[in-house]
Each structure stands twice: as structure tokens, then as C-alpha cells.
Amino acid sequence: NTVSNLIFILPPIYGAIQTCKDGLEKRYLAAYLCLTAVGLGSWCFHMTLKYEMQLLDELPMIYSCCVFVYCLYECFKYKNTVNYPLLFLLITYSFVVSIIYLNLKEPVFHQIMYGTLVSIIVLRSVYIVLWVYPWLRGLGYTSLTVFLMGFFLWNVDNIFCDKLRALREKMPPVVGAVTQFHAWWHILTGLGSYLHILLSLYTRTLFLKHRPKVKFVFGIWPVLLVEPPKKL
């Protein structure tokens, strides 16, 4: 459960570096780094199981989703513009959720607030791939499907934890390791979130007349390379 967080850490760091190289907007640098922060916080929590480290896991999930919302809803704006009302709303949302959660200490509250942001992201993504850039459906639906698969396995692990633990004790060590559904939740949600940033960045660069292309490192891992607009 600790090591599986590497998928939240290493690919977004590469994405952040590539974003800087391509000279893209800082909001996407923030999106990649926020995803890395989630992975680092989750790593610390699962390594220590301390409440303070749990907050480093859970609160960055809220903050990163707020960045994702801003990026996705600002895809079709002119370059170098700032939507101050939306920015203020998301910062206020993050602040209020943090204060309430720190005092309430109720996981369900965090899940509802996080789920609300995810729902907003999903609705906007579906709108983009259905009515704006239909050729991005593959990327959009893959991101959503991978994320929901992770969410499903996370709930299975929560509900049947005792039975799964007893079953693993009868399995060979290697087989038992790959049935850690919470680790698969990390892997699948990390990949789904990363693919979402690619979708958002692809949409944004298309609008700005850039030439984005999805490449696969070692034929496996997707990265986005963005070439500047052609000069007339």
C-alpha cells in the first residue's frame, strides 16, 4: 500500500518537467505537482499509519481536485487569463472543507466533499468528449473507467477486508500481494487522475492551436508532447 503510491509520484513529476519544457501554463504544472503531493501524503500515511500523515493523504485530494476543476473549466479561455471568481470559490471550498474536517474528523464528510468535486470533473469531461472534441472520447472514457475500477476495488476491500485477509493467508505470498485491492485503488486512481490531466491539457492545447500528441514511453506509459502552433 505504500509502494503502490509511486504511480502518484513519478509520472506526474515527469509530466511537470515536460510541461515546463513545452512552456505551457503554470496551472498544469500545479495539477501535476498536486497529484504528486497526494502520492507523497499517502506514502507517509501508509508507512506510519499516523493521523497527521492521514491528513497529508486526504486533504491534498481535495486541493488537487480543485486544481483539476479550475484547469478543466478554463480550457476554452484566452491565454494568460485568470478566472478570479472561480479561483476564489475553489480556494474558499478548500479552506472550509479543511476547517470542518479538522474539527469533525468524519471520513464520510471528506468522501462526500471529494466525491462532489469528482462529479463536477466527470460532468465537464463528458461534455468535452461528447460535444466539443469527440475524438478525445477514448482518452476521456479510459480515464473515467480506470478511476471507477479503482473506486470499485477500494469499496470491495473495505467491505470484505476480513474475508480477503483470511483468504490471503492461504495463498502463496506473491498471489496474496497482488490481491491487495487497496493498493490497486492507488494504482488505478493514480493512473486515472494522470490520464485526466492529459485529457485536460490536450483539450487546452487544442483550443490554443498547439499540436498535442500522445506518445508512449517504452510503448506502455502515455505522455503528452506539445508542439507550438505552426507559423503562417
Side-chain angles (χ1 to χ4, degrees):
N1 288 338
T2 300
V3 177
S4 58
N5 283 292
L6 284 173
I7 197 168
F8 280 100
I9 300 170
L10 298 181
I13 289 177
Y14 178 89
I17 294 172
Q18 191 63 48
T19 297
C20 290
K21 286 183 177 179
D22 292 335
L24 303 176
E25 292 165 313
K26 296 298 187 293
R27 69 185 71 163
Y28 289 99
L29 175 63
Y32 280 123
L33 294 181
C34 281
L35 190 57
T36 299
V38 172
L40 290 173
S42 184
W43 179 291
C44 292
F45 169 55
H46 288 86
M47 185 168 57
T48 65
L49 296 181
K50 292 183 177 180
Y51 173 70
E52 295 80 5
M53 299 298 106
Q54 181 180 349
L55 293 177
L56 286 180
D57 175 14
E58 294 176 337
L59 291 180
M61 292 169 63
I62 299 293
Y63 307 151
S64 62
C65 273
C66 284
V67 175
F68 295 167
V69 168
Y70 185 85
C71 289
L72 203 58
Y73 278 80
E74 291 297 292
C75 278
F76 306 113
K77 300 291 180 64
Y78 292 110
K79 193 174 182 180
N80 298 322
T81 59
V82 179
N83 188 336
Y84 288 104
L86 179 58
L87 201 58
F88 175 79
L89 179 63
L90 292 172
I91 291 174
T92 302
Y93 185 91
S94 299
F95 179 77
V96 171
V97 169
S98 299
I99 294 301
I100 294 176
Y101 187 53
L102 288 172
N103 288 277
L104 196 62
K105 297 182 175 62
E106 176 54 62
V108 175
F109 171 77
H110 174 271
Q111 292 165 9
I112 292 174
M113 296 300 98
Y114 176 69
T116 299
L117 291 170
V118 171
S119 299
I120 293 171
I121 291 171
V122 169
L123 290 174
R124 180 66 167 178
S125 299
V126 170
Y127 164 75
I128 289 173
V129 300
L130 284 182
W131 288 287
V132 185
Y133 296 135
W135 56 88
L136 293 181
R137 287 180 185 176
L139 180 57
Y141 291 160
T142 300
S143 170
L144 179 59
T145 301
V146 169
F147 188 94
L148 290 178
M149 285 175 58
F151 182 74
F152 171 76
L153 292 179
W154 176 61
N155 280 283
V156 170
D157 189 67
N158 283 338
I159 296 170
F160 302 105
C161 182
D162 293 337
K163 294 181 179 179
L164 290 171
R165 186 176 298 172
L167 185 61
R168 290 191 196 101
E169 292 178 355
K170 302 176 183 179
M171 297 179 177
V174 175
V175 178
V178 298
T179 59
Q180 293 282 349
F181 287 168
H182 192 87
W184 282 108
W185 151 250
H186 291 164
I187 293 170
L188 294 173
T189 52
L191 175 57
S193 299
Y194 175 84
L195 292 176
H196 165 75
I197 297 177
L198 290 193
L199 172 67
S200 180
L201 189 51
Y202 205 120
T203 302
R204 178 61 174 161
T205 50
L206 277 177
F207 177 78
L208 294 176
K209 310 296 184 185
H210 291 274
R211 291 173 290 164
K213 294 181 181 178
V214 175
K215 301 288 185 181
F216 289 87
V217 177
F218 304 118
I220 300 175
W221 191 261
V223 297
L224 189 68
L225 302 179
V226 180
E227 298 179 5
K230 289 184 178 180
K231 294 182 179 180
L232 297 178

